[in-house]
Each structure stands twice: as structure tokens, then as C-alpha cells.
Amino acid sequence: MELPQDSYREFSQEYAKGGIRAVIFVNGGAAVATLSQLTALSNLFPKSAIGIALISFIIGILFGVLTWVAGFISNRHVDRKLRNQEKTYLSADIWMYIGIFLSLLSISAFAFGCLRLAVAFMIDNPAC
């Protein structure tokens, strides 16, 4: 059974919104958790490692927000194509791929922040 074009578009938009929320929430949660546990973390990790991780989480939030912007622009180009103001979906596709790339950067920023803390912990606690 094939879905109507509008239903497919709605499903795609819901998945995109969920992914954008996820990368923003994961990085935002990590940043809040880091800040709320700063005193305890400073006993386990060098301050530079905490700072680098926190900056990484903040950059991840920024990439998440930019993913939303790219998604919005992509959606506008889809609307323009559907109103015959553009000949193809090429512009929409370009912005979609930019959004995917930005979301991957956001996930990477989160992973880098976590790995930075893990490596710092392992270096300072070699018995682990």
C-alpha cells in the first residue's frame, strides 16, 4: 500500500523533528548535568577536560539549532516546488543534506564531549 504524498511528507517531518529534538536534548542534558555536578566532577577530572566537554556539548546544541534552520529552509523549498515556483526539489534536497550533516556534527560533538571526559578519567585513574 502506497502512502499519499501528504502523509509521507508528514511522516518525514515528524521523524526530522524528533531527531532534531533528540540532538538538542542530549547535548543540552549533558551540558546541564556537567554544570550541576561541576564540584564533584572537578574532583575526578582536570578542569580543562570538563571545560572542553562542556564547550563540545554547547557546540552540539548550536549544530542542533542549525539543523532546525536547515530543515525549515528545506521545507520552504518543498512548498515552493509544490506551488510550481521551483522546477525541481534540488534546493530542498541540498538543504536536507545540510541538515543531516549538521545533525551528525551535533551527535559527534556529544560523543566527543563524553569521550573527552572518559579519556581524562582513564588517564587520571589507570587502575580502572
Side-chain angles (χ1 to χ4, degrees), residues 34-49:
T34 302
L35 288 171
S36 71
Q37 300 299 315
L38 203 52
T39 303
L41 290 173
S42 64
N43 293 328
L44 296 172
F45 304 105
K47 287 183 177 72
S48 62

Side-chain angles (χ1 to χ4, degrees), residues 11-21 67:
F11 286 134
S12 296
Q13 288 174 345
E14 288 304 313
Y15 279 111
K17 286 192 283 188
I20 293 167
R21 282 186 197 115
T67 299

Side-chain angles (χ1 to χ4, degrees), residues 35-117:
L35 288 171
S36 71
Q37 300 299 315
L38 203 52
T39 303
L41 290 173
S42 64
N43 293 328
L44 296 172
F45 304 105
K47 287 183 177 72
S48 62
I50 299 168
I52 290 169
L54 189 56
I55 289 168
S56 183
F57 300 143
I58 293 167
I59 289 170
I61 294 168
L62 174 65
F63 283 138
V65 171
L66 292 175
T67 299
W68 176 84
V69 172
F72 174 78
I73 294 170
S74 175
N75 198 40
R76 296 305 305 146
H77 283 286
V78 169
D79 289 340
R80 290 177 52 79
K81 168 61 174 103
L82 294 174
R83 286 182 278 163
N84 295 319
Q85 295 174 334
E86 293 185 16
K87 294 181 181 182
T88 68
Y89 288 105
L90 180 62
S91 294
D93 288 345
I94 289 170
W95 282 103
M96 177 188 68
Y97 290 125
I98 290 170
I100 291 169
F101 179 70
L102 289 167
S103 67
L104 292 173
L105 287 175
S106 182
I107 293 165
S108 298
F110 173 74
F112 178 80
C114 292
L115 288 172
R116 180 63 187 102
L117 290 176

